[in-house]
Amino acid sequence: MNFTDKLTEHLRTEDEPSNPQYLCFNTGGVEVEVGEFFYGLVRMMKPKAILETGTHKGISAAYMAGALKDNSDRGAYGTITTVEFLEPNYEESKDLFAKLGLENFIKQELKDAASCDFGDTQFDFIFLDTEPQTRFSELVKFYKNLRPGGYLGIHDLHPHMHQIENLEHGFAWPYGPIPVAMDNLVKEKKLVPFHFRTPRGLTMFYKPTEYDHYNAI
């Protein structure tokens, strides 16, 4: 049984994105195919620490925690910290994690991501999926917590880096203008963006290391 089948035991796939070739469990979580991609990514990376902002109903965190659980069977241990500011979502996802037997691999926090301070903690993967207008600022905020060689993803973000051109406000809605600090990270190649053309959009960033071939002396 694959992990999507395990989720389907507890959830009904009820929402379809604009592309009928994709499936979703609900209107706010990641596409099933994106969840499966995250599962495979975590299985391959063997991360020790993952950060997610915006737990919602727990779909993406469940896929990643499921991979962490399977990794632990081979001695690779890791956890995911997932942050949610709405208590109903927090409780619903907590119930899902319990049904899937993932409690030992997930640290849930009921708070606004803007108030989070993880100190010097280094995460191998960071996934930003809170309110769209906060995700760019979260990238800037948590950049220091992304270890070199790690990856950061932003859900619902297409290659043009916005969703809808809002001429009334003069910038794309709902993300708002790209912060100067974020723009500089990309221009200075401290983050390397790449995009997946999923129905809802997925933009990923890689944080280079001094050992990457283009940084080698």
Side-chain angles (χ1 to χ4, degrees):
M1 177 184 291
N2 64 35
F3 196 78
T4 296
D5 290 336
K6 293 180 182 178
L7 272 174
T8 305
E9 289 181 351
H10 305 288
L11 299 169
R12 180 172 62 88
T13 303
E14 59 187 24
D15 178 53
E16 293 188 6
S18 56
N19 185 334
Q21 295 176 343
Y22 287 74
L23 292 173
C24 287
F25 285 104
N26 56 57
T27 57
V30 298
E31 302 90 329
V32 168
E33 292 80 1
V34 172
E36 292 173 344
F37 169 67
F38 284 171
Y39 176 88
L41 181 66
V42 173
R43 287 285 278 149
M44 178 182 66
M45 289 179 63
K46 314 293 186 194
K48 293 182 179 180
I50 300 172
L51 171 64
E52 174 185 70
T53 64
T55 312
H56 192 245
K57 308 293 185 179
I59 301 300
S60 50
Y63 272 106
M64 290 186 278
L68 291 172
K69 182 177 182 179
D70 289 344
N71 287 347
S72 70
D73 292 340
R74 299 189 62 85
Y77 298 98
T79 57
I80 175 172
T81 299
T82 182
V83 181
E84 173 59 49
F85 73 97
L86 292 176
E87 188 169 0
N89 286 347
Y90 175 89
E91 294 297 338
E92 184 173 339
S93 58
K94 183 178 180 180
D95 181 59
L96 175 64
F97 301 151
K99 289 178 179 178
L100 293 168
L102 300 175
E103 308 99 307
N104 293 337
F105 302 90
I106 299 177
K107 299 177 182 178
Q108 285 188 265
E109 295 198 17
L110 179 59
K111 60 172 61 176
D112 191 323
S115 67
C116 290
D117 184 355
F118 296 104
D120 296 326
T121 301
Q122 294 289 283
F123 296 99
D124 303 284
F125 180 45
I126 296 176
F127 181 50
L128 306 179
D129 201 14
T130 50
E131 299 304 301
Q133 68 271 17
T134 69
R135 295 178 200 175
F136 287 168
S137 61
E138 289 173 11
L139 181 148
V140 174
K141 176 181 177 69
F142 298 123
Y143 172 80
K144 66 181 179 64
N145 296 109
L146 180 64
R147 74 162 179 81
Y151 295 87
L152 183 148
I154 300 181
H155 193 218
D156 308 307
L157 191 60
H158 294 277
H160 49 69
M161 296 296 282
H162 292 296
Q163 288 187 327
I164 302 172
E165 288 297 330
N166 189 322
L167 300 180
E168 178 183 353
H169 293 91
F171 59 80
W173 180 90
Y175 289 89
I178 296 174
V180 173
M182 176 178 168
D183 196 40
N184 287 340
L185 288 173
V186 174
K187 287 180 179 178
E188 295 169 8
K189 297 183 179 179
K190 294 179 179 179
L191 280 178
V192 180
F194 52 102
H195 309 276
F196 294 94
R197 296 181 181 274
T198 59
R200 294 179 179 172
L202 175 65
T203 293
M204 298 281 286
F205 298 84
Y206 169 68
K207 187 173 184 177
T209 78
E210 60 180 304
Y211 304 108
D212 292 339
H213 70 92
Y214 46 81
N215 286 334
I217 297 176

